[in-house]
Amino acid sequence: MKFWHSMKWRTEGIRVVAPVKWRQFDGLVSAYWEAESQAGATGYYLADDPRIMVFFSDVSSQVRISNRNGDFLQHHRPMMRAVYVPPGVPMWTTSSATHRFSHLNLHLHKDKLLKYLAPAVGASAAVTALRRSVEIQATGAIETLARLVVDEVSKPSKHEIYGESLVGSIVASLLDISATGSEQANARLTQAQMNKLMARFDGLTDRRFTVAEMAETVGLSESWFSNVFRQTTGKTPLQWQLGKRIEHAKTLLLESELSVADVAAQLGFSDQAHLTKVFRQIAGDTPAAWRRLQQTR
């Protein structure tokens, strides 16, 4: 996804001291800034998409920020070394002393970020995380990752996936995401997702596709899909699929002259014995006996 961020901003008393280094990745823009701020310098920033700032030096004693119309009398706090700003949240800054600073700005497409997080943590938790500001002073691994991003932005040497993976790790380290909780316990597939699965299933001649293909159909990771699918249907994906194949086998047995062996072949069972075994487990009788019983009614 080619993306260029949209941000309203204005500054006074801040001077860029080196050319800005930037690079576009899939759904994000990385920009490395080196600048000098004068005492009394001010800034205003508002972006439609989420962004992350990682400072490579401690500016907390020199820069204050506010989200309330530049009110630095009652509503202000020091600028931390790593900051996540949710989409649509304005930020005002002011400097108390002259200083030089450098920082990495990561502008992230919100839909891409949601798509990145949702398969692992669930859609609701992902949306909640995107709306929650984060400001931390102890950056640790985040700074290490950010420096690697700056190196790749300054002198590109690897495939884009390398830089994107680094940014993904920064996102996972910085955003306020619960490791476990009610999101996983209560997750369910939507009716629209189930409809997509049914439509694709019905379109397959042998009525079989892998768990990975099922997950891809509804836009989820394989591990997360297996979890929410069982919570939605009470069955594993393969149990559900077998049940649907047996339902179709019943239709073929009733509405066609196909032999049991032909039905088995059409539905992707290894042989007639395989179909008979599964059919008996689910329907309580063999295919041949079930067909005879239905024909006498």
Side-chain angles (χ1 to χ4, degrees):
M1 175 193 295
K2 287 302 180 183
F3 162 69
W4 187 257
H5 59 286
S6 173
M7 185 168 74
K8 298 177 182 178
W9 61 282
R10 60 178 180 270
T11 62
E12 292 184 10
I14 299 176
R15 179 176 65 91
V16 176
V17 297
V20 179
K21 299 181 176 71
W22 63 271
R23 186 177 176 186
Q24 278 183 298
F25 295 101
D26 184 16
L28 69 98
V29 177
S30 301
Y32 174 61
W33 294 78
E34 296 177 82
E36 181 180 82
S37 180
Q38 301 297 317
T42 59
Y44 167 75
Y45 313 87
L46 175 64
D48 294 331
D49 288 280
R51 62 191 181 97
I52 290 173
M53 296 182 293
V54 181
F55 288 85
F56 295 108
S57 60
D58 184 1
V59 297
S60 60
S61 63
Q62 299 154 324
V63 181
R64 291 179 297 159
I65 62 175
S66 171
N67 301 113
R68 299 199 182 185
N69 199 29
D71 179 1
F72 293 102
L73 295 177
Q74 297 181 342
H75 304 287
H76 68 85
R77 57 198 182 277
M79 176 73 81
M80 298 288 99
R81 293 195 61 183
V83 177
Y84 168 72
V85 185
V89 173
M91 175 183 289
W92 288 263
T93 65
T94 184
S95 299
S96 60
T98 299
H99 66 282
R100 286 202 172 195
F101 64 94
S102 61
H103 72 285
L104 175 67
N105 257 8
L106 299 172
H107 300 271
L108 308 151
H109 191 289
K110 55 180 176 289
D111 292 340
K112 180 71 176 180
L113 190 52
L114 280 173
K115 188 175 181 180
Y116 171 74
L117 293 173
V121 304
S124 178
V127 170
T128 299
L130 259 66
R131 293 174 176 170
R132 186 178 294 147
S133 298
V134 179
E135 299 171 7
I136 63 173
Q137 184 67 359
T139 52
I142 292 175
E143 182 177 347
T144 301
L145 292 165
R147 290 190 183 279
L148 291 173
V149 173
V150 171
D151 289 344
E152 187 61 19
V153 168
S154 302
K155 297 180 179 180
S157 62
K158 302 183 187 304
H159 191 278
E160 288 184 357
I161 194 172
Y162 171 69
E164 293 162 10
S165 297
L166 292 173
V167 174
S169 296
I170 292 173
V171 167
S173 299
L174 181 58
L175 266 64
D176 187 5
I177 305 170
S178 299
T180 58
S182 59
E183 173 68 20
Q184 289 193 8
N186 299 320
R188 298 288 188 276
L189 292 174
T190 65
Q191 187 58 54
Q193 288 173 318
M194 289 300 300
N195 291 342
K196 283 185 179 181
L197 286 173
M198 286 300 304
R200 182 167 180 183
F201 179 81
D202 290 339
L204 297 170
T205 303
D206 61 1
R207 299 300 201 277
R208 59 186 305 191
F209 58 138
T210 66
V211 176
E213 290 169 334
M214 295 174 75
E216 181 184 12
T217 299
V218 295
L220 300 176
S221 69
E222 186 173 342
S223 59
W224 177 251
F225 170 79
S226 296
N227 177 43
V228 297
F229 187 90
R230 185 160 192 163
Q231 291 175 172
T232 303
T233 66
K235 300 176 183 178
T236 69
L238 294 182
Q239 287 171 339
W240 177 85
Q241 196 174 139
L242 274 176
K244 293 298 181 183
R245 289 165 71 195
I246 295 303
E247 287 180 14
H248 191 56
K250 289 179 178 179
T251 300
L252 293 176
L253 289 168
L254 281 178
E255 299 178 2
S256 76
E257 299 298 324
L258 292 173
S259 67
V260 175
D262 289 338
V263 171
Q266 182 165 323
L267 294 181
F269 290 93
S270 56
D271 52 29
Q272 180 175 335
H274 184 204
L275 170 60
T276 298
K277 179 181 178 181
V278 176
F279 197 98
R280 181 187 282 119
Q281 289 174 342
I282 295 176
D285 213 337
T286 67
W290 184 88
R291 174 183 256 174
R292 287 194 299 270
L293 179 63
Q294 299 303 311
Q295 289 173 341
T296 59
R297 290 182 175 179

